[in-house]
Amino acid sequence: MRPKAVWEPDYHRVFLDLCVEQTLQGNKPRTHFSKQGWRNILKSFQEQTGVTYDRMQLKNHWDTMSRQWKIWRRLVQCSYMNWDPETNTFGASDEEWAYYLQENPDAGQYRCSVPQDLEKLTVLFEGGSNVEVEDDEVLGVRKRLRSFQEDDDEEEDNQSMCSSSNPQTKGYWSPSTHELFLDLLVQETEKGNRPDTHFNKKGWKTILETINENVSVGYTRAQLKNHWDCTRKSWKIWCQLVGESSMKWDPETRSFGATEDEWRAYIQENPRAGQFRHKEVPHADKLSIIFSGVIEPGETYTPPTRKKHLRGRSCESPQDEANLMMDSEAGQPLDVVKLMSEGMLQESPVCVEIGSAKRMYCIGECIESLDAMKEVEEGSELYLFALDQFLKREYREIFLELKKPSLRIAWLQRLQSAALS
C-alpha cells in the first residue's frame, strides 16, 4: 500500500504555485489538469522539493483542495452570510453563523479566517467549481427521491441527508424553531419512542404534527429527519471535542483551557469543530437527554453487554454495591472471569425495569428521585453537585439503581470527596 503523503506547508505552496502556472498555460481545460499538465507538475514538484511523491499522491492532494474550495464557495455564495470580497470578511451575526454551521459544519474552519492563498485558489477553481457543485446537487436529489419512495422502510427512514444542498430538504430553522424541535425530541425520548438510535414512526409522526401546528413553515418529514441528522452530527463533534484531553474542557466553568496552538492543531485535524471555537453547543442539557446512551460527551463507548453484566452483579451489602459502582465508574478494569467464578456476575444479562416499563435513565428522572430524598436539601452543595453528575449517563444509571436514599447519599458524598481531593 502506498504510504500517505505528508504535506508540509512548503510542499503545499510549491504544489499550489505549479498548479496556477499550468492553469495559466492552458493545461487545465475544465476541472482537472490534462496529462501534460500533470506530467509538468510532477516533474517540477520533485525537482523543487526533492521528495518522490507520485502522480496519484499529487492528485489526492488536488482533490482535497477541490473539496475545501467547494465548502468555501457555498459559504460565500450564501446571501445571509454577507461576504464582502473587498474586506475579505463576513457580515453575518453570531446567530446567522450558528444557522449556517448547523447545516454545514465543515465550514467551521472559515469562521475566523479565510483560506490561505485565496487569490491563487480563485484562479484554480473559479472556472470549474460551479459545475462540480451542480453535479453533486443533482446526484443528491436523485438519492433522496429514491430514499423516500417507501416511507415504511425503517432502514431508509434512518439514512442521513445532512450533506444535502437542496433547500427543499433542509428547510429554514430559526433558533426558536430549533429549540421547539429539541423540546419535542426530548418529549418523545422520555415517552420511549426512541427505542435505539433513532425515533420510531409514532415519534416522528407526533413531532411532525406538533411542530407544524406551532410554526407556519410547513415542514416535511424529510426536512425534519435531515435536521435530526445535522443535530446528531453536531452533537457528536461537540462530544468528541470535550472528550479530547488536549482541549482541557472544564464543565464547571463551561470553557476550554487549550492554547491557540492547540486549537489550531485540533481544528486542522477536525475542521468541523471550528464552529465551537468561541461558543459551546446550544441546549447541551436537552441534547444530552436526546442522545443519552447513543452519543455521550467525553465518554468512551461501553458495550451494552458489559453494562448488563454490571447491573446483574450481586453484592452482599450496600457498601459492596457502592464500591462496585465506583470501581466501574473510575474506569478500573473488571476481571469478568474472576467475578463469575466468585458468583458475583450472573451469566445471563439482567434487564432493568420499573414495573412493566424500562428505565430511560434521563436527567429528569434523576432529579425527580433526588427531590424525593428529604435528606438532601434543595440548593445545597450536595444537591448541586448531584445535578452536575447527572450529565453523565453512567452516573445516572448508578444513582437510579441504588435503591436506598442512604446509599445514594453515601455514593454522592464519596464522589464529592474525590472531586475535592
Side-chain angles (χ1 to χ4, degrees):
M1 180 181 293
R2 180 186 293 107
K4 185 177 180 181
V6 178
W7 285 90
E8 301 289 347
D10 290 341
Y11 296 168
H12 172 72
R13 281 192 289 271
V14 170
F15 178 71
L16 183 61
D17 289 341
L18 292 174
C19 288
V20 171
E21 180 181 298
Q22 292 302 309
T23 299
L24 297 177
Q25 290 180 7
N27 287 326
K28 189 174 82 68
R30 291 191 65 194
T31 60
H32 289 79
F33 292 99
S34 62
K35 292 182 178 179
Q36 183 60 47
W38 278 119
R39 280 196 292 266
N40 295 341
I41 292 173
L42 178 61
K43 180 181 178 182
S44 298
F45 181 82
Q46 292 178 342
E47 290 175 351
Q48 294 184 36
T49 63
V51 296
T52 56
Y53 292 164
D54 58 27
R55 179 175 171 179
M56 185 57 67
Q57 289 170 317
L58 297 187
K59 293 185 75 174
N60 285 342
H61 192 56
W62 168 263
D63 289 341
T64 299
M65 290 168 52
S66 179
R67 287 192 296 270
Q68 293 298 317
W69 179 253
K70 286 197 286 185
I71 294 169
W72 169 253
R73 280 293 298 271
R74 290 192 182 103
L75 176 61
V76 299
Q77 288 175 351
C78 181
S79 59
Y80 64 80
M81 297 306 292
N82 299 320
W83 167 249
D84 184 351
E86 298 295 327
T87 61
N88 278 359
T89 57
F90 291 97
S93 65
D94 288 340
E95 283 192 349
E96 287 167 331
W97 267 106
Y99 302 155
Y100 190 85
L101 294 179
Q102 183 72 32
E103 304 292 344
N104 304 275
D106 284 325
Q109 58 189 305
Y110 303 125
R111 177 69 176 87
C112 302
S113 61
V114 302
Q116 293 183 349
D117 302 304
L118 183 58
E119 292 183 359
K120 295 178 182 179
L121 291 171
T122 303
V123 172
L124 289 180
F125 296 110
E126 189 64 32
S129 176
N130 290 332
V131 175
E132 291 183 67
V133 171
E134 182 179 344
D135 288 345
D136 285 349
E137 291 178 353
V138 172
L139 290 173
V141 170
R142 289 176 181 170
K143 288 181 179 178
R144 289 191 297 278
L145 288 175
R146 289 198 299 269
S147 296
F148 285 90
Q149 284 176 347
E150 299 181 10
D151 289 341
D152 292 336
D153 192 329
E154 284 295 323
E155 191 66 29
E156 288 179 349
D157 282 347
N158 294 338
Q159 287 182 349
S160 170
M161 298 172 293
C162 188
S163 59
S164 164
S165 303
N166 190 342
Q168 292 182 346
T169 305
K170 282 187 175 183
Y172 175 77
W173 293 86
S174 67
S176 59
T177 307
H178 174 65
E179 186 172 7
L180 172 61
F181 180 67
L182 295 183
D183 288 338
L184 294 173
L185 292 177
V186 169
Q187 291 177 19
E188 294 307 307
T189 298
E190 294 180 338
K191 288 179 184 177
N193 287 326
R194 198 214 69 194
D196 41 51
T197 59
H198 288 75
F199 291 91
N200 56 27
K201 292 178 185 178
K202 181 180 178 181
W204 279 122
K205 182 181 179 182
T206 303
I207 294 170
L208 179 62
E209 291 176 351
T210 307
I211 202 167
N212 282 332
E213 288 173 359
N214 288 272
V215 298
S216 58
V217 176
Y219 290 106
T220 65
R221 184 178 179 182
Q223 288 172 330
L224 258 62
K225 301 188 80 173
N226 180 71
H227 193 57
W228 156 264
D229 284 338
C230 293
T231 303
R232 182 185 59 187
K233 290 183 178 181
S234 180
W235 178 244
K236 183 177 181 180
I237 293 166
W238 170 257
C239 290
Q240 291 173 339
L241 176 62
V242 299
E244 173 59 46
S245 59
S246 64
M247 302 311 294
K248 306 177 184 66
W249 169 251
D250 186 346
E252 299 295 329
T253 62
R254 313 295 298 175
S255 62
F256 293 96
T259 64
E260 288 296 329
D261 288 341
E262 288 169 332
W263 266 108
R264 191 176 300 109
Y266 187 84
I267 292 178
Q268 185 174 359
E269 294 294 326
N270 307 274
R272 295 184 177 190
Q275 61 186 301
F276 303 125
R277 176 65 182 89
H278 298 289
K279 60 186 298 185
E280 65 176 293
V281 63
H283 312 295
D285 55 339
K286 297 176 183 178
L287 291 168
S288 67
I289 297 173
I290 295 167
F291 297 105
S292 175
V294 180
I295 307 172
E296 297 283 352
E299 294 184 2
T300 55
Y301 175 70
T302 302
T305 52
R306 182 176 176 224
K307 292 181 181 178
K308 291 177 182 178
H309 279 312
L310 290 175
R311 294 175 197 152
R313 179 177 173 181
S314 60
C315 303
E316 296 180 357
S317 68
Q319 187 59 45
D320 290 338
E321 185 177 353
N323 289 337
L324 167 62
M325 296 299 187
M326 282 300 297
D327 291 341
S328 172
E329 267 312 297
Q332 299 298 325
L334 296 176
D335 190 335
V336 176
V337 175
K338 179 181 179 182
L339 293 172
M340 290 186 67
S341 66
E342 294 174 351
M344 299 186 72
L345 267 181
Q346 298 180 7
E347 293 186 12
S348 58
V350 177
C351 183
V352 178
E353 297 188 359
I354 307 174
S356 60
K358 292 183 179 180
R359 269 185 169 150
M360 295 301 296
Y361 298 108
C362 62
I363 294 177
E365 190 177 359
C366 291
I367 294 177
E368 184 178 350
S369 297
L370 181 64
D371 289 341
M373 295 167 56
K374 298 179 180 179
E375 300 87 347
V376 181
E377 182 183 352
E378 291 189 20
S380 65
E381 287 294 325
L382 186 61
Y383 184 92
L384 298 177
F385 177 79
L387 296 182
D388 291 336
Q389 307 316 302
F390 294 160
L391 294 174
K392 296 183 70 175
R393 177 179 172 82
E394 295 295 328
Y395 283 178
R396 296 197 296 271
E397 288 189 25
I398 293 172
F399 180 79
L400 292 174
E401 288 307 308
L402 297 176
K403 307 303 181 185
K404 297 180 179 180
S406 59
L407 187 55
R408 288 177 175 174
I409 293 174
W411 175 71
L412 287 170
Q413 288 174 336
R414 185 174 176 184
L415 280 179
Q416 190 177 37
S417 298
L420 292 174
S421 61

